[in-house]
Amino acid sequence: MHQQENKLHAPLTTLKGIGPALAGKLERLDVYRVEDLLFMLPLRYEDRTRLTVLGAARPGQRCLVSGEVLLAETVYRGRRSLLVRIADGTGQLTLRFFYFSRQQQSQFQQGVRVSCYGDVRAVAGGLEMIHPEYRLLKPEHDAVTSDALTPVYSVTEGVQQVRLRNLVAQALEIMRSTAPSELLPDDVLADLHLPTLTAALLYLHQPPPDADLQSIEAGKHPCQLRLSFEELLAHYMSLRNLRLLARREAAVALRGGREEMQAFIRSLPYQLTGAQDRVCTEIAADLSQPHPMMRLVQGDVGSGKTVVAAVACIKAIACGKQAAIMAPTELLAEQHWHNFNLWFHDFDLQLAWLAGSQRSKDRKESLAAIATGAADLIIGTHALFQDGVDFHGLALIIIDEQHRFGVQQRMALRDKGMSGKLHPHQLVMTATPIPRTLAMAAYADLDTSIIDELPPGRQPVTTVALPDKRREEVIARVRKACSGGQQAYWVCPLIEESAVLNYEAAEARHNLLVEALPELRIGLVHGRMKSLARDKVMRAFKEGKIDVLVATTVIEVGVDVPAASLMIIENAERMGLSQLHQLRGRVGRGREQSHCVLLYRQPLGQLARSRLAVLRDSNDGFLVAQRDLELRGPGELLGTRQTGLPQYRIANLLRDAELMPAVKRVAERLQRSEKQKAALIITRWLGDAGRYGKV
Ligand code: ADP
Ligand code: MG
């Protein structure tokens, strides 16, 4: 049996009819080993289990037919083409080829029998098939019907469907003679009503003629669920390995700092919410362990994640260590810089700043303070972890608005933050609440804390959606609100193609509003501004010296100006729900009743309409995220590429989300008591590297 499994693990070139060139092309489909062919499921199927007689063939049908060549001719009407007329006694059909060789031309001798598979179309002279797949039949033979539906695979340039089909068939043959190990326990399969791996693979590559194609198309067939389940399990266990691994690594146990934390919390102008308090306790417990914390803090916009991060920093610093906070943009890093300076002012702590746009003299000073340990807390962008930064006893890394960082990036940061053999503790804070099942799959390497309570006195933001031809009315509304002392954000259309266009759009909107609202003070921030200039405008807005802030989506995450109570978002129909929720979360932070106006361009499609309705009807970020997931899929929600969210071969997080609780259960069990199987499952789906880490 070992022998056979090895055949499945062997390189593709061990199969018949494939050399290095074709193997190279298949690598583009992520197919390296014989077994990988098995996990490359068909895109769809063709029914060649029945032969359709020509008299019964109908336009629009895709079918297998056969007949005898009556006549073959090359015609030049418009385009040179080869026409072959065939008949079977019940009817006639024309085969039409635009591309054909001389050899093909001479094949179709009168009286030769052929079988063809293709789309039947109605044309003036009767029925025809354009470029059917065809086969010449020996005189005594009939058209070959298949026993199973014919799979159609995704092909890559230079790989023919027939070739691929043949290779998969060889792989299936190897599998049939000895099945790959069944790695899921029998009782799990029974509980979940799932077939074995072998049965599932055979079925999906060669479904019986009566297969339930509808459920296969929906991705809900038990055979597909069987494969998705194992794939999700492999990814989950691989991520979970990282967490298990972290438990074996060493970190400084930050045991002290209790009093300092209390003193800091007492110094705040408000009381922590119950949820903030609970999460602070969870973090403090992690930090006091001699193993690196890997914790994710989820909380809706405005739930007060920053101050929780500050409490964690205080603990690390009180224990004589350094802490670092990394934000995804300079704007956000600056805001933290501002907040932490205020908060820590009375505690005699040293803060250092690091960002890309820094002057080299300032940077040198920061680097020196960091290296000598004079700096207690370092705030910045990803510049924090570039070469040349030499920490001095860094014990805590906080990543804010973490949805832009993937597993690999989290790992890289940990490595860069090492001091000696000690790993830093890591705290990541999401900007976007993530539905539970998705979080399970994407963040299985992290423990999770949820701040599920907003600071008291917040009033839900009322949201309306209006066509942008009513912009004048909205401007009037801004005039009224701001004359009464309120402040407003005006978010400009998002032009994804170009930063320059974005900037121009913002500039144009700014001019329009300056003209329309001469009595108001109107500011502008956009992504191309120097951070110093942007900071100046933001500060003026924060201090109430600007009434209306025109902005591109740079203000999307994290920006905190409690006095602002009106949010206008243009071209809302082009933005993601979670992004809109983030933007809306910029208001509703003070005691004033806040409003959000979503301007959209008509006509509004059905999907856009229902998305805007979600925002109108709910202020709950978790619910919005769930709907975003349902409407657009996980890649959009998390921003696929940046997150490092895995690319699955078969599973689809949106479609298969409901499998996750069972995946989690089975993963825990296997990794506890059947380690060998767990490791084999990971290798089967993720290759030898296990992708995320090994225990
Ligand atoms: P986010 O979770 O979106 O990062 P922030 O940390 O920016 O939220 O906090 C949002 C606002 O709520 C800030 O103005 C902050 O000062 C305020 N805030 C945080 N915690 C509390 C609290 N417990 N009571 C009152 N206001 C709070
Ligand atoms: Mg924040």
Side-chain angles (χ1 to χ4, degrees):
M1 163 185 144
H2 224 79
Q3 204 79 61
Q4 286 296 336
E5 281 236 1
N6 282 345
K7 273 198 192 172
L8 285 178
H9 292 165
L12 290 177
T13 42
T14 56
L15 297 176
K16 279 179 230 122
I18 173 169
L22 183 55
K25 284 174 187 156
L26 284 169
E27 284 186 8
R28 267 184 258 148
L29 297 173
D30 262 334
V31 176
Y32 303 93
R33 305 174 304 171
V34 174
E35 188 180 61
D36 294 332
L37 284 167
L38 298 175
F39 293 121
M40 186 188 64
L41 295 186
L43 294 176
R44 55 187 177 81
Y45 304 91
E46 290 173 347
D47 188 354
R48 304 180 193 197
T49 60
R50 289 171 295 122
L51 186 68
T52 302
V53 292
L54 292 176
R58 295 284 169 266
Q61 209 179 359
R62 211 173 154 76
C63 56
L64 181 72
V65 299
S66 72
E68 198 178 297
V69 174
L70 296 181
L71 167 84
E73 55 175 352
T74 313
V75 296
Y76 294 89
R77 240 161 291 136
R79 206 168 154 189
R80 178 171 169 263
S81 46
L82 171 65
L83 300 183
V84 182
R85 176 162 304 234
I86 63 169
D88 69 352
T90 68
Q92 294 191 358
L93 178 89
T94 304
L95 317 179
R96 182 186 292 269
F97 299 89
F98 297 114
Y99 308 97
F100 52 94
S101 61
R102 194 174 287 256
Q103 186 221 345
Q104 269 173 311
Q105 222 171 328
S106 58
Q107 272 174 352
F108 294 110
Q109 296 295 333
Q110 193 181 359
V112 163
R113 294 183 54 241
V114 290
S115 76
C116 312
Y117 181 84
D119 289 315
V120 179
R121 319 191 316 146
V123 287
L127 297 177
E128 76 172 24
M129 275 187 188
I130 295 179
H131 277 276
E133 280 180 43
Y134 70 91
R135 206 186 272 194
L136 302 183
L137 298 173
K138 299 219 174 79
E140 68 278 17
H141 285 145
D142 220 335
V144 191
T145 54
S146 331
D147 298 331
L149 299 179
T150 307
V152 179
Y153 298 97
S154 154
V155 290
T156 184
E157 217 171 295
V159 182
Q160 287 164 343
Q161 189 62 239
V162 194
R163 268 292 185 70
L164 208 49
R165 228 174 253 156
N166 173 280
L167 292 175
V168 176
Q170 288 184 56
L172 287 171
E173 211 42 55
I174 294 173
M175 184 179 82
R176 239 189 285 258
S177 66
T178 311
S181 325
E182 177 54 60
L183 297 171
L184 294 184
D186 292 343
D187 62 301
V188 169
L189 294 181
D191 275 358
L192 299 170
H193 306 288
L194 296 176
T196 62
L197 177 71
T198 315
L201 288 171
L202 277 175
Y203 190 96
L204 292 171
H205 284 287
Q206 300 179 342
D210 63 346
D212 180 358
L213 288 182
Q214 234 171 346
S215 96
I216 296 183
E217 218 157 272
K220 291 289 184 194
H221 194 280
C223 289
Q224 289 165 304
L225 294 181
R226 166 64 180 78
L227 299 175
S228 295
F229 185 86
E230 194 176 309
E231 184 173 32
L232 290 170
L233 185 65
H235 281 270
Y236 184 85
M237 292 193 301
S238 172
L239 274 177
R240 198 163 170 272
N241 271 346
L242 287 183
R243 189 152 59 150
L244 300 176
L245 196 67
R247 296 221 173 108
R248 293 205 209 145
E249 289 164 349
V252 200
L254 302 167
R255 295 230 162 80
R258 231 186 120 76
E259 268 162 37
E260 287 85 346
M261 286 195 288
Q262 293 303 336
F264 172 69
I265 291 169
R266 272 198 310 273
S267 77
L268 294 169
Y270 43 73
Q271 281 204 313
L272 292 189
T273 61
Q276 284 171 317
D277 196 51
R278 190 190 69 238
V279 172
C280 285
T281 309
E282 287 167 0
I283 294 170
D286 277 5
L287 291 177
S288 65
Q289 298 298 312
H291 309 292
M293 166 173 78
M294 290 176 75
R295 186 169 284 278
L296 171 75
V297 173
Q298 284 210 67
D300 206 345
V301 235
S303 61
K305 292 182 285 286
T306 323
V307 72
V308 169
V311 172
C313 291
I314 290 279
K315 186 171 172 61
I317 298 167
C319 294
K321 295 289 167 188
Q322 269 181 343
I325 298 186
M326 177 169 79
T329 64
E330 278 198 28
L331 187 67
L332 285 183
E334 281 159 18
Q335 182 174 287
H336 286 326
W337 176 250
H338 182 74
N339 279 334
F340 281 77
N341 270 297
L342 276 179
W343 283 336
F344 288 1
H345 185 261
D346 295 336
F347 291 84
D348 193 27
L349 301 178
Q350 290 305 311
L351 279 66
W353 169 255
L354 265 190
S357 70
Q358 210 168 2
R359 285 197 322 218
S360 75
K361 177 169 158 289
D362 295 342
R363 180 178 158 82
K364 263 194 201 129
E365 265 171 36
S366 284
L367 288 177
I370 295 168
T372 58
D376 300 304
L377 173 65
I378 303 101
I379 296 177
T381 57
H382 57 275
L384 273 183
F385 292 93
Q386 272 155 11
D387 291 341
V389 186
D390 187 12
F391 292 100
H392 189 271
L394 179 68
L396 172 64
I397 298 178
I398 296 175
I399 306 170
D400 192 16
E401 312 299 2
Q402 101 90 30
H403 71 303
R404 301 179 191 216
F405 297 95
V407 187
Q408 275 79 6
Q409 287 155 304
R410 293 201 283 275
M411 298 282 288
L413 273 195
R414 270 162 37 96
D415 293 346
K416 284 188 184 162
M418 298 264 301
S419 42
K421 287 202 160 60
L422 294 178
H423 285 267
H425 295 283
Q426 206 176 69
L427 184 67
V428 289
M429 305 197 289
T430 55
T432 316
I434 295 162
R436 205 175 69 95
T437 45
L438 181 55
M440 262 186 211
Y443 301 122
D445 59 326
L446 303 170
D447 293 305
T448 308
S449 292
I450 298 183
I451 306 183
D452 51 4
E453 185 184 348
L454 292 180
R458 295 275 171 82
Q459 298 184 34
V461 181
T462 57
T463 304
V464 291
L466 298 175
D468 59 6
K469 61 173 188 235
R470 291 174 64 182
R471 192 181 283 120
E472 287 303 318
E473 284 170 51
V474 178
I475 293 177
R477 188 164 170 180
V478 170
R479 176 183 295 120
K480 189 152 169 261
C482 293
S483 312
Q486 300 182 35
Q487 285 175 284
Y489 290 98
W490 191 295
V491 179
C492 297
L494 173 76
I495 301 163
E496 300 205 344
E497 302 80 47
S498 134
V500 179
L501 289 181
N502 255 322
Y503 153 72
E504 285 172 3
E507 186 106 299
R509 189 58 74 240
H510 178 250
N511 293 342
L512 178 93
L513 291 175
V514 166
E515 209 162 292
L517 300 166
E519 69 277 32
L520 297 181
R521 296 160 300 176
I522 299 175
L524 171 65
V525 287
H526 54 75
R528 291 182 86 215
M529 261 161 116
K530 286 256 161 49
S531 67
L532 215 64
R534 202 166 57 191
D535 193 32
K536 212 170 128 197
V537 178
M538 287 306 298
R539 187 162 301 139
F541 187 57
K542 212 162 187 161
E543 290 168 356
K545 292 176 184 156
I546 286 177
D547 303 302
V548 182
L549 183 68
V550 179
T552 52
T553 49
V554 292
I555 58 154
E556 176 190 344
V557 282
V559 170
D560 184 43
V561 180
S565 60
L566 187 53
M567 167 66 68
I568 321 293
I569 306 173
E570 291 205 60
N571 266 152
E573 81 282 1
R574 290 174 60 180
M575 292 186 210
L577 276 187
S578 295
Q579 190 183 16
L580 288 169
H581 180 70
Q582 278 294 326
L583 283 170
R584 177 173 63 176
R586 300 306 113 213
V587 297
R589 296 181 161 228
R591 305 218 161 243
E592 203 75 54
Q593 168 66 55
S594 294
H595 302 276
C596 174
V597 180
L598 304 172
L599 285 176
Y600 59 84
R601 193 158 296 170
Q602 280 171 315
L604 201 56
Q606 191 51 46
L607 181 64
R609 188 175 299 276
S610 49
R611 285 173 49 214
L612 295 185
V614 171
L615 283 169
R616 205 185 48 217
D617 299 341
S618 175
N619 263 287
D620 176 345
F622 283 91
L623 205 132
V624 169
Q626 180 64 43
R627 294 290 289 136
D628 204 9
L629 177 66
E630 288 160 15
L631 292 169
R632 295 198 308 164
E636 295 288 335
L637 178 59
L638 292 172
T640 327
R641 224 158 270 141
Q642 295 136 330
T643 53
L645 196 68
Q647 294 293 316
Y648 297 102
R649 290 195 247 182
I650 293 170
N652 170 330
L653 268 187
L654 177 57
R655 195 184 63 198
D656 303 325
E658 62 206 36
L659 295 174
M660 281 315 295
V663 164
K664 181 168 184 277
R665 216 169 45 236
V666 174
E668 280 161 13
R669 165 174 155 192
L670 292 179
Q671 288 187 307
R672 191 174 52 242
S673 52
E674 293 180 78
K675 293 199 170 66
Q676 185 72 25
K677 274 190 181 167
L680 286 171
I681 292 174
I682 294 175
T683 311
R684 173 179 286 164
W685 291 90
L686 301 180
D688 292 328
R691 181 109 60 122
Y692 302 120
K694 274 198 150 157
V695 162

